[in-house]
């Protein structure tokens, strides 16, 4: 009787040292799959079947997370070809377009994913609101959610300047001049944000650091808390009215 | 026609002249050539007007203002028969070595030391564009 | 659909979509083009070695990186692989060998491609690189305007090998573009247009109105454009101008002159032709046309004014190119008498020269109009600083994006900078109402030349080290007595010295001293003989005194010399080199008579050589014969690459010509640049 | 099962002493969920998540393949494009700037919005809210009417129609649902809408409206243009 | 899913469901591998903005016996001998300082740690472990000497002129 390569690999000591659970479909193994795995163990071993229904959450949180993941993974290679300096920053966009293999694809992906993430995050928030999923014990997670939304906006906004084309420059000028209007501190904030009084190379560098280091880290932390809280607070909550349906 | 003309001329003249039968013969290949042809034609034209037109005339009819008491009269370059009878090599040769060089009237001076090879080629290209149809 | 199947399907979908971009990438056009080039190259290769070079060519993006030229990167050579490859002569685009120009081959590594051709150097896709229909990418410069590229670095008025550009710059200079449009490097520009404060004593209202309505209708040589003024505006303007007080000095002169007795028309006619007025002016269209038509001059200006003006033009218009002839009072009266007799518009109304009774309100209206129309920009009597720059400044016009241009009403135009510029020059006011730029009536070629010149004004000046302003050193324009003579006789109106002066004359004077004999020059200045029967432009008889003439000749002899030209070419040469007979034979066999006249026979293109000996210094003749273009880039005389011996023999032959004074017409030689 | 639900729905849990159980706002409703059917996370949830990710990436990839990210000319501080627009998600604010002094539109309003969002889960009204008109007193109706009118007037004073119009529209809708308690299907659902939901809906509508206007209907000098006349900008 | 697999993982009983699952997993694996490859390709620079590695040293005649010329930009000496011309890297083999030519002692010294080399590039003394490498010298079309600083040639390989 033939022994397949796959099964021989599964038999090997190395494989076993990495994956502790067997392949046979026992519930034990399936549980192990989840809690033996750093990334999966945010999940409980069992979930309510109804939470898997599309209409339960419309998977909006998941989609947002997917976008975030794509942005993280796609952003890193882009950084390899980007100099936060004038005019090189703009030229780098052209390099991506004309020279770097798949550069333009990656840039487009990053751009559209960013827009998508903002949009979906908002929808996610609305979904949670209309399902009244902010109610105890989930109050704090809602707050984190709001913070996440802000972080997302800031990320998208800081990234907006990096191509250093007319769109970026004036988009950011308009935005930051709104900040300026804040009483007392507005001027100051803008000054710190731009590293000067006008959108210049300083601003580019600062936005770059914010976009590539500060905000992503913040987002990462908040997301982990957010997701972890979801489980701690008793899993995803679907339509509040759901219960109403099964009245006698 | 102003843009197309040069292209076609280019196709029929310079490509064979440059001895690239294989590519030159292919009309599609020639059709891709307008910019190059146009630039070269421009250069050829400016050279012609500066150095040749005084005797051969702006249209190449051999009626330049300096022509009238020359004997023999300058060649009518627009004459289709003439154009047919001469290969590009012939034309370039006359321009290069002058009438005396090819056993014609010495009143046609040699330009071989005034122009470089490429300029001669460009003039020839323009000469072809003078053909009357 | 069961989960596992959904999973399978979405996974496949996933795989496929992710594969698209890499595939697209692998199919980038330039890769195929480079393979095509490899095959073409191998088919054309002459040697096995060359064959291998083509075969082993890696498929990769090519670029020219110009670190110290605005850090440009030109990737054109990624597809245009043959530009510097002699084997690609006449190959189909994009592989064609670049046409031979001043900078190519050889200049590529220094100036790249986009410097002349425009377009997006960074791009590796055809449409992007050529800037086809791309708002934010520089379009390529059309072949017709390609010489604008030269103008980016070559800032001098005339650029050898770039006739269109040079012509465009000359036209802009003459048309006075710079008096309304600020342009880098032309801040000191002043139009030749006369100050208008003497109008009232010059001409009459009727004539002035006719002029204002359309200058070119009155005088085809007019440089003043058509402002499309309405009848009321014209009326107002004329009142304003006649309202301006003429300077007393001039007014007195004119009045006095008007009182003088009539002269003799016959003598006047003789003087008129001797003075070679049509070297600049025209009479019924005959003449050079760089100065006003004189066919109806007597109906355009009063007798008094004409007399006073001819005696001292510079008093009336310090900027005029007209020399101050050394006429006697009688001479001038005779000339003006000749005008009165023959050069008048016989159908003109009797009151054509009647002055105007000024209506102050209209005059006031005219004054505002005068300001708003920008007449002052050209006609102001003050220095350049006083004139107001009316139009938008033209720096960087060559790099404007079509999207940033206002096409106004001209929806018919293609959305390109060049078509916009051409239309602007052709009919400036067709874009919108209330535009002030007048129309100049340039023909298609002139428009093309001017647009070429305009496109040369880049957004930023090219780096210092690449700039190339003057071909020759700025000439020493002498001061003192000689300087006065230069200015009085306006030598620079026609002759070039260094990089200054007009191009009417075919003889630049920079090294005149090395070229001609002093005694001949004196005679020539006193009584210029025609060297080029064919040209209407000839040296006028300025009626200068012998003393003045010898002073000028002496100056040239002493100062305007080229040290590289030896005095006596025969020094230390074999006797056989002086063989004039042999030289004469050469003269015939080389076909010199095709262009030059000796005695009666020969062509009319080159200068007559009948009296060469009296005129030309043998050193110069030899120097010239050895390499005509070395004397001046645009010399039309072919370079025969004569060996020294032949050149010397020809020199010797010319040395025998007209040394005896019995030759028919006094004649001398000069080379032509018509 | 039905019991705790009733409590959740009742406007004032303290008002019904005979209830067996009270779910206080801070307690965990999960206790209720015991009868729910459970399935193993792996494969059921995990695989769904994988598929979700694949689909998201697929869709975005398609977008990336068919639509290039905009890239205009290099940034030039001397040449302001007209109009100069912020990224789309800020165009709502930029549109507000068109009506209000910067301090209000650029700072006050967004700050208020964020604060409002943050406090949602802590505001009692959001926790215990029932259908808006469920045994509502006339006072409540008057108060609401007044509120709507006030908001409308306030924004009307600044001629900010994109806000006034939806406000009035929603106000009318809100009162329209008043009598629909006995109604069926859609109307009934509308009747069940709580006050917080009405407010949020109002907020969402004007936010969307402002953003859409700012994005598609604003041209040079922030003047009104129609999308099809608008020169396509990246 | 694993749970649909045959109870005995060793034997390959190919059920339809099984195929479907494997298809999906395979596709994912392929996509992953592909992405990895594409990423590598992405990271490979396709154009370089680097100084020329070759430089024109001058005409052969300029290098009479004993001439030593230092090219600062390319960090190389071009040295003329009776036999011909050769080029020497100026980068010290110790810690990569730029050495200097001492004309009076006619030797090459490193300012950092005092290594010293003779004109062949051999270490006279000092910490430098290896002698200075020789660089390729060739002649271009116009007949002047071209040094390729990337190509190292065996010591003693002169360019005969």
């Amino acid at each position: 009787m033939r022994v397949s390569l796959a099964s021989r690999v599964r038999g090997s000591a190395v494989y076993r040292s990495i994956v502790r659970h067997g392949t046979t479909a026992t519930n034990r193994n399936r549980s192990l799959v989840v809690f033996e795995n750093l990334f999966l163990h945010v999940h409980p071993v069992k979930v309510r079947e109804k939470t898997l229904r599309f209409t339960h959450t419309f998977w909006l949180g998941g989609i947002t997370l997917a976008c975030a993941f794509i942005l993280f993974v796609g952003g890193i290679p882009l950084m390899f070809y980007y100099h936060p300096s004038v005019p090189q920053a703009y030229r780098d966009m052209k390099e991506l377009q004309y020279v770097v293999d798949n550069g333009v694809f990656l840039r487009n992906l990053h751009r559209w994913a960013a827009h998508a993430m903002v949009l979906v995050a908002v929808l996610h928030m609305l979904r949670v609101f209309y399902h009244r999923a902010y109610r105890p014990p989930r109050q704090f997670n809602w707050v984190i959610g709001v913070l996440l939304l802000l972080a997302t906006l800031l990320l998208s906004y800081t990234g907006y300047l990096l191509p250093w084309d007319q769109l970026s420059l004036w988009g950011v000028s308009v935005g930051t001049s709104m900040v300026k209007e804040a009483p007392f501190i507005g001027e100051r904030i803008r000054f710190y944000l731009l590293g000067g009084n006008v959108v210049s190379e300083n601003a580019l560098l600062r936005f770059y650091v914010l976009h590539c280091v500060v905000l992503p880290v913040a987002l990462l932390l908040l997301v982990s808390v957010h997701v972890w809280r979801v489980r701690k607070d008793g899993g995803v909550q679907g339509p509040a009215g759901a219960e109403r349906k099964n009245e006698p | 026609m102003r843009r197309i003309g040069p292209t076609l001329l280019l196709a029929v003249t310079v490509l064979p002249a440059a001895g690239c039968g294989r590519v030159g013969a292919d009309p599609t290949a020639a059709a891709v050539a307008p910019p190059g042809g146009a630039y070269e034609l421009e250069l050829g034209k400016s050279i012609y007007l500066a150095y040749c037109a005084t005797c051969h005339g702006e249209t190449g009819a051999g009626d330049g203002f300096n022509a009238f008491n020359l004997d023999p009269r300058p060649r009518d370059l627009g004459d289709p028969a003439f154009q047919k009878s001469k290969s590009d090599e012939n034309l370039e040769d006359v321009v290069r070595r002058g009438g005396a060089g090819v056993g014609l009237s010495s009143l046609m001076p040699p330009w071989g030391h005034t122009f470089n090879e490429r300029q001669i080629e460009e003039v020839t290209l323009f000469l072809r564009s003078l053909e009357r149809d | 659909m069961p989960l596992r199947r959904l999973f399978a399907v979405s996974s496949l979908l996933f795989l496929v979509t992710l594969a698209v971009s890499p595939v697209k990438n692998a199919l980038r056009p330039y890769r195929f083009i480079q393979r095509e080039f490899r095959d073409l190259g191998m088919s054309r290769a002459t040697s096995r070695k060359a064959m291998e070079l083509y075969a082993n060519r890696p498929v990769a993006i090519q670029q020219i990186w110009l670190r110290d030229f605005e850090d440009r990167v030109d990737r054109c050579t990624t597809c245009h692989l043959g530009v510097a490859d002699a084997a690609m002569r006449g190959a189909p685009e994009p592989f064609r060998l670049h046409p031979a120009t001043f900078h190519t081959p050889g200049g590529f590594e220094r100036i790249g491609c986009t410097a002349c051709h425009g377009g997006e150097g960074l791009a590796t896709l055809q449409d992007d690189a050529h800037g086809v229909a791309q708002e934010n990418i520089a379009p390529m410069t059309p072949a017709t305007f390609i010489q604008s590229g030269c103008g980016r670095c070559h800032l001098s008025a005339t650029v050898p090998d770039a006739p269109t550009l040079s012509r465009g710059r000359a036209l802009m200079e003459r048309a006075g573009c710079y008096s309304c449009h600020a342009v880098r490097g032309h801040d000191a520009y002043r139009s030749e247009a006369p100050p208008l404060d003497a109008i009232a004593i010059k001409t009459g209202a009727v004539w002035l109105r006719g002029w204002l309505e359309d200058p070119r209708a009155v005088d085809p040589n007019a440089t003043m454009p058509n402002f499309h003024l309405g009848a009321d505006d014209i009326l107002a303007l004329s009142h304003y101008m006649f309202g301006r007080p003429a300077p007393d000095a001039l007014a007195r002169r004119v009045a006095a002159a008007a009182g003088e007795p009539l002269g003799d028309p016959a003598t006047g006619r003789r003087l008129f032709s001797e003075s070679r007025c049509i070297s600049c002016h025209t009479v019924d269209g005959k003449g050079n046309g760089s100065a006003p038509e004189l066919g109806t001059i007597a109906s355009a200006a009063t007798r008094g004014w004409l007399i006073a003006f001819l005696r001292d033009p510079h008093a009336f218009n310090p900027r005029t190119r007209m020399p101050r002839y050394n006429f006697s009072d009688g001479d001038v009266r005779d000339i003006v008498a000749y005008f009165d007799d023959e050069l008048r518009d016989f159908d003109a109304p009797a009151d054509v020269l009647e002055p105007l009774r000024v209506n102050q309100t209209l005059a006031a209206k005219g004054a505002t109009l005068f300001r708003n129309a920008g007449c002052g920009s050209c006609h102001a009597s003050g220095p350049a600083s006083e004139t107001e720059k009316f139009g938008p400044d033209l720096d960087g016009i060559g790099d404007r994006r079509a999207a940033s241009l206002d096409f106004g009403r001209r929806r018919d135009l293609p959305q390109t900078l060049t078509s916009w510029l051409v239309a602007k020059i052709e009919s400036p006011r067709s874009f919108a109402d209330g535009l002030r730029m007048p129309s100049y009536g340039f023909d298609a070629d002139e428009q093309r030349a001017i647009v070429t010149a305009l496109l040369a004004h880049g957004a930023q000046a090219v780096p210092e080290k690449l700039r190339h302003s003057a071909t020759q050193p700025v000439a020493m324009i002498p001061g003192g007595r000689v300087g006065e003579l230069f200015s009085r006789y306006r030598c620079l109106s026609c002759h070039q010295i260094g990089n200054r002066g007009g191009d009417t004359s075919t003889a630049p004077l920079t090294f005149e001293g090395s070229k001609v004999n002093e005694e001949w020059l004196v005679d020539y200045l006193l009584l210029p003989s025609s060297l080029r029967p064919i040209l209407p432009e000839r040296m006028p008889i300025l009626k200068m005194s012998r003393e003045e003439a010898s002073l000028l000749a002496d100056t040239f002899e002493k100062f305007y010399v080229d040290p590289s030209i030896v005095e006596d070419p025969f020094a230390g040469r074999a006797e056989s080199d002086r063989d004039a007979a042999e030289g004469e034979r050469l003269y015939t066999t080389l076909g010199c008579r095709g262009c030059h006249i000796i005695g009666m026979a020969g062509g009319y293109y080159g200068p007559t050589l009948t009296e060469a000996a009296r005129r030309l210094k043998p050193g110069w003749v030899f120097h010239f014969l050895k390499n005509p273009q070395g004397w001046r880039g645009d010399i039309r005389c072919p370079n025969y690459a004569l060996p020294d011996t032949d050149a010397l023999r020809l020199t010797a032959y010319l040395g025998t010509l007209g040394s005896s004074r019995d030759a028919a017409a006094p004649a001398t030689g000069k080379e032509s640049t018509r | 099962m039905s019991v705790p639900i009733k409590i959740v729905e009742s406007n004032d849990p303290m008002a019904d002493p005979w209830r067996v159980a009270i779910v206080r706002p801070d307690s965990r409703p999960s206790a209720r969920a015991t009868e729910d059917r459970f399935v193993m996370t792996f494969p059921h949830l995990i695989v769904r998540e994988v598929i979700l990710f694949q689909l998201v990436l697929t869709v975005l990839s398609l977008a990336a393949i068919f639509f290039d990210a905009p890239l205009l000319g290099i940034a030039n501080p001397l040449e302001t494009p007209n109009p100069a627009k912020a990224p789309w998600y800020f165009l709502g604010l930029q549109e507000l700037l068109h009506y209000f002094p910067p301090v209000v539109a650029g700072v006050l309003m967004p700050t208020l919005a964020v604060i409002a969002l943050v406090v949602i889960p802590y505001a009692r009204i959001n926790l215990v809210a029932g259908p808006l008109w469920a045994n509502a007193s006339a006072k409540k109706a008057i108060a609401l009417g007044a509120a709507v009118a006030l908001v409308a007037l306030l924004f009307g004073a600044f001629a900010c129609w994109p806000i006034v119009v939806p406000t009035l529209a929603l106000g009318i809708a809100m009162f329209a649902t008043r009598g629909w308690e006995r109604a069926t299907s859609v109307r009934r659902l509308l009747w069940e809408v709580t006050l917080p939901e009405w407010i949020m809906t109002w907020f969402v509508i004007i936010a969307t409206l402002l953003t859409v206007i700012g994005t598609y209907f604003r041209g040079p000098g922030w003047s009104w243009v129609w999308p099809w006349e608008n020169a396509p900008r990246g | 899913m694993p749970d649909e697999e045959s109870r005995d993982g060793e034997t390959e009983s190919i059920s339809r469901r099984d195929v479907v699952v494997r298809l999906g997993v395979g596709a994912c694996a392929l996509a992953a591998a592909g992405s990895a490859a594409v990423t590598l390709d992405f990271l490979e620079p396709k154009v370089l903005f680097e100084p020329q590695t070759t430089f024109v040293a001058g005409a052969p005649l300029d290098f009479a016996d004993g001439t030593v010329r230092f090219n600062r930009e390319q960090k190389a000496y071009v040295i003329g001998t009776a036999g011909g011309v050769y080029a020497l890297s100026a980068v010290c083999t110790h810690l990569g300082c730029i050495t200097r030519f001492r004309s009076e002692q006619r030797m090459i010294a490193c300012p950092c740690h005092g290594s010293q080399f003779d004109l062949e590039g051999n270490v006279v003394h000092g910490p430098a472990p290896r002698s200075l490498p020789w660089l390729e010298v060739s002649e271009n079309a116009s007949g002047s000497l071209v040094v390729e600083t990337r190509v190292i040639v065996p010591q003693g390989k002169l360019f005969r002129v």
Side-chain angles (χ1 to χ4, degrees), chain C residues 69-380:
Chain C
F69 184 1
E70 301 158 8
D71 199 29
R72 282 168 181 262
V73 177
D74 287 351
R75 304 217 166 99
C76 316
T77 45
T78 303
C79 296
H80 295 276
L81 290 150
V83 282
D85 179 348
M88 290 298 152
R89 181 169 295 192
E93 288 294 3
F95 305 135
R96 163 184 302 278
L97 172 64
H98 193 287
T101 66
F102 183 77
H103 284 296
T104 53
F108 293 118
E109 292 304 322
R110 218 176 102 255
I111 55 178
C113 315
T114 53
C116 297
H117 291 280
E120 173 56 88
L122 292 164
T124 55
L125 299 169
Q126 182 177 352
D127 282 2
D128 293 10
H130 296 181
V132 179
Q134 293 254 14
E135 185 185 313
N136 58 332
I137 288 186
M140 279 186 71
T141 314
T144 22
F145 304 108
I146 193 64
Q147 287 175 12
S148 61
C150 318
R152 295 278 173 123
C153 301
H154 296 264
L155 307 175
S156 52
T158 51
V159 179
D161 296 2
T164 317
L165 175 68
S166 311
R167 183 167 184 218
R169 284 179 171 170
L171 281 166
M172 288 182 72
E173 190 81 18
R174 174 131 191 271
C177 307
Y178 306 123
S179 26
C180 286
H181 298 281
V183 179
R184 221 183 281 118
H186 294 84
D187 322 322
Y189 172 84
R190 287 303 277 116
S191 156
E192 213 186 306
L196 294 177
D197 37 18
I199 264 294
I201 54 176
K202 173 183 179 181
T203 182
V206 177
W207 183 89
L208 179 61
R209 288 182 194 146
W211 173 265
L212 287 174
E213 194 177 345
D214 178 5
R216 281 208 176 67
V218 178
D219 175 353
N221 305 341
T223 48
M224 173 159 162
N226 184 345
F227 284 80
H228 306 288
L229 296 163
D232 319 3
D233 296 351
I234 292 177
L235 186 68
L237 269 175
S238 55
H239 277 272
Y240 166 64
M241 299 215 199
F242 276 91
R244 295 174 68 156
D248 302 349
L250 298 180
R252 255 185 268 103
R253 289 194 205 182
V254 173
E260 291 180 23
L262 296 176
D264 163 28
T267 335
R269 180 193 281 103
R270 204 193 78 249
L271 284 165
F272 183 78
S273 62
E274 279 178 3
S275 311
R276 308 258 200 263
C277 302
I278 63 165
S279 293
C280 302
H281 294 274
T282 51
V283 174
D284 304 332
K286 196 171 158 302
N288 167 282
S290 62
E293 160 74 36
L294 298 179
T296 60
I297 183 67
S299 319
T302 61
R303 176 165 172 278
W305 184 88
L306 283 170
I307 293 175
F309 181 83
L310 283 176
R311 284 188 184 143
D312 184 1
H314 308 160
F316 286 79
N317 177 5
R319 298 192 295 268
T320 182
R321 282 180 298 145
M322 168 121 170
R324 182 179 169 192
Y325 285 73
N326 196 2
F327 290 129
S328 72
D329 290 4
D331 294 344
V332 176
R333 278 201 290 274
D334 297 341
I335 295 173
V336 174
Y338 162 67
F339 289 169
D340 277 331
D341 250 29
E342 299 185 20
L343 306 186
R344 60 161 55 251
D345 175 2
F346 295 96
D347 327 333
D351 64 346
V352 67
L353 293 179
E354 284 309 308
L356 186 70
R357 298 196 65 266
V358 175
N359 166 335
Q360 287 309 332
T361 49
L362 279 174
K365 185 158 166 286
T368 17
L369 194 60
F370 188 90
R371 250 196 325 284
N372 298 346
C375 309
S377 301
C378 287
H379 286 290

Side-chain angles (χ1 to χ4, degrees), chain C residues 12-64:
Chain C
L12 289 174
L13 199 63
F14 180 65
L15 179 60
V16 172
T17 35
L18 281 193
V20 172
S21 168
V23 170
K24 236 169 91 187
N25 190 73
L27 301 181
R28 287 231 203 139
Y30 77 82
R31 301 181 196 265
F32 296 97
I33 292 175
Q34 294 201 343
R35 295 204 189 86
E36 199 184 319
F37 178 73
R38 187 189 57 206
D39 302 344
L40 179 58
M42 290 172 72
S43 75
R44 291 174 159 229
T46 47
S47 70
R48 165 156 302 290
K49 193 159 175 303
M51 185 88 99
E52 278 163 3
L53 282 177
Y54 283 113
N56 304 336
R57 242 174 164 293
V59 172
I61 292 174
Q62 308 293 317
Q63 70 179 17
I64 301 172

Side-chain angles (χ1 to χ4, degrees), chain A residues 95-106:
Chain A
E95 297 294 300
L96 283 174
Q97 185 177 359
Y98 294 130
V99 176
V100 181
D101 284 349
N102 298 302
V104 81
F105 171 76
L106 210 57

Side-chain angles (χ1 to χ4, degrees), chain B residues 15 20 23 32 66 69 114 118, chain C residues 40 44 90 98 602 604-605 639:
Chain B
L15 299 184
C20 60
V23 179
V32 225
N66 190 44
N69 74 340
T114 316
R118 306 293 306 287
Chain C
L40 179 58
R44 291 174 159 229
H98 193 287
Y604 276 63
Y605 189 25
N639 179 348

Side-chain angles (χ1 to χ4, degrees), chain B residues 73-94:
Chain B
R73 301 296 296 275
R75 167 85 65 185
D76 171 2
L77 301 169
D79 170 13
F82 164 75
Q83 289 272 356
K84 303 257 177 316
S85 66
K86 298 288 182 216
S87 73
D88 289 318
E89 286 77 3
N90 300 149
L91 292 179
E92 287 175 18
D93 206 36
V94 183

Side-chain angles (χ1 to χ4, degrees), chain E residues 73-147:
Chain E
E73 198 173 324
Q74 301 287 348
K75 306 185 187 66
Y77 302 100
V78 185
I79 300 170
T81 67
V85 181
Y86 65 97
L88 211 55
S89 161
V91 180
C92 179
T93 52
H94 177 219
L95 293 174
C97 298
I98 304 305
T99 58
R100 304 224 178 82
F101 172 64
R102 297 265 169 73
S103 46
E104 59 282 1
Q105 298 109 314
R106 297 209 52 78
M107 57 95 173
I108 295 166
C110 177
C112 301
H113 307 93
S115 308
Q116 291 184 359
F117 309 83
D118 63 17
L119 289 185
E120 260 73 53
N122 306 315
V123 184
V124 176
H125 70 70
R130 274 167 285 97
S131 57
L132 297 172
W134 284 37
L135 307 174
E136 186 186 62
V137 181
S138 58
E139 197 173 18
N140 68 7
S142 60
S144 42
L145 295 173
V146 178
V147 179

Side-chain angles (χ1 to χ4, degrees), chain B residues 2-3 10 14-16 18-24 26 28-40 42-43 45-46 49-51 54-55 65-66 68-72 100 105-114 116-119 121-122, chain C residues 39-40 43-44 89-94 96-101 104-105 117 140-144 146-147 161 163-164 445 448 534-535 588-595 597 600-606 629 633-641 674:
Chain B
R2 211 189 160 304
R3 283 273 133 266
L10 188 86
V14 158
L15 299 184
C20 60
R22 237 173 104 268
V23 179
D26 170 13
T28 60
V32 225
Y39 289 134
E40 284 156 358
E42 285 291 324
L43 292 163
K45 183 178 181 185
S46 56
L49 293 180
Y51 293 89
T54 40
C55 293
F65 72 80
N66 190 44
F68 68 92
N69 74 340
L70 293 188
D71 177 26
S105 159
S106 66
L107 293 183
M108 164 73 188
W111 297 101
H113 300 286
T114 316
N116 62 35
E117 279 304 299
R118 306 293 306 287
Q119 287 172 309
E121 211 169 89
E122 287 152 12
Chain C
D39 302 344
L40 179 58
S43 75
R44 291 174 159 229
R89 181 169 295 192
E93 288 294 3
R96 163 184 302 278
L97 172 64
H98 193 287
T101 66
T104 53
H117 291 280
M140 279 186 71
T141 314
T144 22
I146 193 64
Q147 287 175 12
D161 296 2
T164 317
D445 278 359
R448 185 166 137 257
I534 202 76
L535 301 185
T588 344
T589 51
L590 294 177
C592 305
R593 68 185 182 85
C595 294
I597 297 183
M600 278 301 145
Y604 276 63
Y605 189 25
Q629 283 68 29
D634 53 358
I635 290 295
R636 301 302 188 239
C637 178
N639 179 348
Y640 288 84
R674 178 51 189 258

